Every structure is written in C-alpha cells, then in structure tokens.
Amino acid sequence: MKTAIITDSTAYIPAEIQKAQDIHIISLNVIFKNEIFVEEEYNPQTFYERMRTEKELPTTSQPTTGAYVALLEQLKSEGYTDCISIHLSSGISGTYQNAISAGAMVDGITLHAFDSELAAMAMGFYVLRAAELRDVVSPEEILADLEAMKLKTNAYFLVDDLKNLQKGGRLTGAQALIGSMLQVKPILHFVDTKIVPFDKVRTKKKGIKLLKDLFAAEIKDYQDVTAVLIHGNSESEADTIIAELKSEFPQITIIKSYFGPVIGTHLGEKAIGLGFTNKKFDILK
C-alpha cells in the first residue's frame, strides 16, 4: 500500500511543507472578467492589488473532474494505491464532490475523500495530520482520526471591509455604506459546511479581541493546541496579533498563514482569521 495526500490550493500549505511531506495540490481558479488564473500560480499580493481597482468582484471556479482524473492517473502511474483527499468545505465549493466523482472514474487507485467543513490553513491542519499518519495507519484509520479532530478544530473570520460582501451580492450598496459608516465588522464561522455570520462588532480592535476571547474559551480544556493566524494581505498586522497571542498563550504553537485569491475574493483584503485544533504537529517543529 502506498498512500498519497491530496488537498486543494485553498489550504495554503507552505511550499516547504508541501515538498517535504509530498503533498499534492489541485488548484482552484480565479477569474477576472475573461482572464482565468490558476490560484496556485497567482501571487496573492498581485491579486489583492488588482481586486482593489476592479469594479466587479472576481469569480472563482473549482478544479474540473478531468483535472482530478489526470492527477489520479499520474499518482497511479507512480505506484500509489490510495489517496487521502482533503478539501474546502462542501457547502461553499464543489471541489470535494468533484474529487469523489473523479475517484469513481479511475480504476486501480482508491480515493478516500474528506470534507474539511472549513477553509484556508484551518483546513490545512487536517492535511498535516494525514501526512503524519500516512505511513503509520491505514487510509480508513486516517479518515476516522480526521473525523474525530473535527470536534476540536474550529475557525473564526473577521471581515475588515464590507465592499466584497456588497460586490458579491450579500449586501446592497446602501447597507454597505451604512455598515462602513458605523465601522461594522462581521465575524463569520462555519456551520453545517456553510460560512455564516457569528456576530458583528463596531471596530476591528473589538473584533480581534472577540476572536481572542472565543479562542480562549474553546481551548481551555485542550491538552495540546496549534493555532493559525490568517491574514488577507496584511502581514504586519498579523505579526502584531501573533505576538499578542504568544504573550497571552505561551504554551501553544502559533503559525502564520494567508488568505489566497480564492478565499480572499470572498472575505476581502485585510480580513483576519483565527483557526485552532487540539493537536501538536511534528511537521511544524
């Protein structure tokens, strides 16, 4: 048995970990008007600079079934017998379902699909765990372990600007204008695979405090904790928040990640996310 680990580009797994752990990435796409960009190859800073000037919000698209079939055929030719396939929440993307469809179309390799019910590097925690277990237990046991992780893995997202919610049709222009004047900052989370409002605050400072409070409340009984601070083209702000978190929670592991083009399309520039799980990862040492 030889097991491959697959995830999609929205996990934003650091390149050095991808290479060291032989993690295979299938990419989603970002579309500005008629220009299609493969997310894995699209520089996030360039993306945010362009999105800032566009009148219309870019759209996103999932990998095609054909692209997934091609990846599975390649892996089979390399001697893999099984794949653990971990993807963006099925409530906001068809990537997970496309993986299942592709798996049914390729003989000689078994695809084990996992719906993370999350996004970004919070989803990436499952990828890291699967990579650690790949050579230790069976694919079925890996999936069972990942399902158990869901009980103590979570993420909250703070939206800095309402423009993307307006462009995406979730707010009218008037609502966005009033919200911006009042400095309303939505906090979002995942419920039953979909991203929904959790709360709203009047300033970003209050939003960051609420993220920390939610984090503290949820991890208080965890034995081990790894957290990720995720930013949308706002690295210096992310560094400041990480320093504060390390001061307040010195016992936990905190890493930094980013919202790439696909997730950034929906959350907008300067969004902040805080994800966490009750695991420590040797991969991150």
Side-chain angles (χ1 to χ4, degrees):
M1 180 184 293
K2 185 179 179 183
T3 302
I5 305 298
I6 302 173
T7 191
D8 61 68
S9 56
T10 67
Y12 310 120
I13 303 291
E16 61 274 16
I17 292 179
Q18 289 181 33
K19 184 177 180 180
Q21 301 299 320
D22 195 25
I23 295 167
H24 300 269
I25 307 293
I26 190 158
S27 192
L28 280 77
N29 306 297
V30 176
I31 306 160
F32 279 105
K33 299 174 182 175
N34 295 320
E35 293 182 89
I36 299 176
F37 297 89
V38 176
E39 181 177 43
E40 188 73 7
E41 302 170 359
Y42 198 7
N43 179 275
Q45 187 172 356
T46 301
F47 161 77
Y48 281 108
E49 287 172 358
R50 177 162 183 180
M51 188 172 67
R52 213 178 296 137
T53 62
E54 291 282 349
K55 292 182 179 180
E56 294 182 5
L57 195 67
T59 57
T60 60
S61 66
Q62 64 210 31
T64 65
T65 302
Y68 223 114
V69 167
L71 175 58
L72 294 178
E73 292 284 6
Q74 173 197 326
L75 292 172
K76 184 174 71 170
S77 73
E78 295 172 3
Y80 289 98
T81 59
D82 294 82
C83 298
I84 302 293
S85 180
I86 299 167
H87 292 296
L88 179 63
S89 180
S90 63
I92 61 174
S93 171
T95 305
Y96 167 75
Q97 190 57 53
N98 273 11
I100 293 172
S101 298
M105 296 169 67
V106 181
D107 295 327
I109 186 167
T110 303
L111 184 136
H112 308 265
F114 179 78
D115 183 355
S116 73
E117 301 184 32
L118 283 172
M121 192 57 204
M123 169 178 82
F125 287 142
Y126 296 118
V127 182
L128 300 186
R129 181 62 174 166
E132 287 188 340
L133 294 177
R134 169 175 42 199
D135 298 325
V136 181
V137 299
S138 70
E140 291 79 10
E141 290 172 298
I142 293 174
L143 286 185
D145 189 278
L146 299 186
E147 285 293 342
M149 269 183 72
K150 282 185 178 180
L151 298 175
K152 292 186 177 181
T153 302
N154 204 355
Y156 294 93
F157 308 97
L158 173 63
V159 177
D160 183 67
D161 194 308
L162 299 178
K163 289 178 183 176
N164 282 50
L165 294 175
Q166 177 197 351
K167 289 181 179 179
R170 291 172 175 83
L171 290 176
T172 66
Q175 288 172 324
L177 176 62
I178 292 170
S180 297
M181 289 173 62
L182 294 175
Q183 292 188 295
V184 169
K185 310 290 185 184
I187 293 177
L188 312 173
H189 68 150
F190 280 91
V191 175
D192 296 330
T193 77
K194 292 181 171 57
I195 194 161
V196 299
F198 175 81
D199 204 346
K200 58 179 181 287
V201 293
R202 290 288 294 274
T203 66
K204 194 167 191 179
K205 183 177 180 180
K206 290 181 179 179
I208 291 169
K209 182 181 183 304
L210 180 53
L211 292 185
K212 291 178 183 177
D213 289 346
L214 292 167
F215 173 63
E218 292 196 32
I219 68 164
K220 61 183 175 64
D221 296 322
Y222 292 6
Q223 290 186 334
D224 294 309
V225 180
T226 300
V228 59
L229 196 287
I230 316 168
H231 69 92
N233 200 34
S234 187
E235 191 157 9
S236 60
E237 180 178 41
D239 289 338
T240 298
I241 298 169
I242 288 172
E244 293 170 354
L245 287 168
K246 286 182 175 179
S247 175
E248 294 174 39
F249 307 96
Q251 76 281 14
I252 70 174
T253 300
I254 306 173
I255 61 174
K256 179 171 61 179
S257 186
Y258 64 95
F259 293 118
V262 168
I263 303 301
T265 292
H266 304 289
L267 295 185
E269 192 168 16
K270 296 186 180 179
I272 292 292
L274 182 56
F276 45 92
T277 189
N278 70 325
K279 296 288 183 186
K280 294 280 190 182
F281 300 98
D282 291 339
I283 289 170
L284 298 177
K285 291 180 180 177

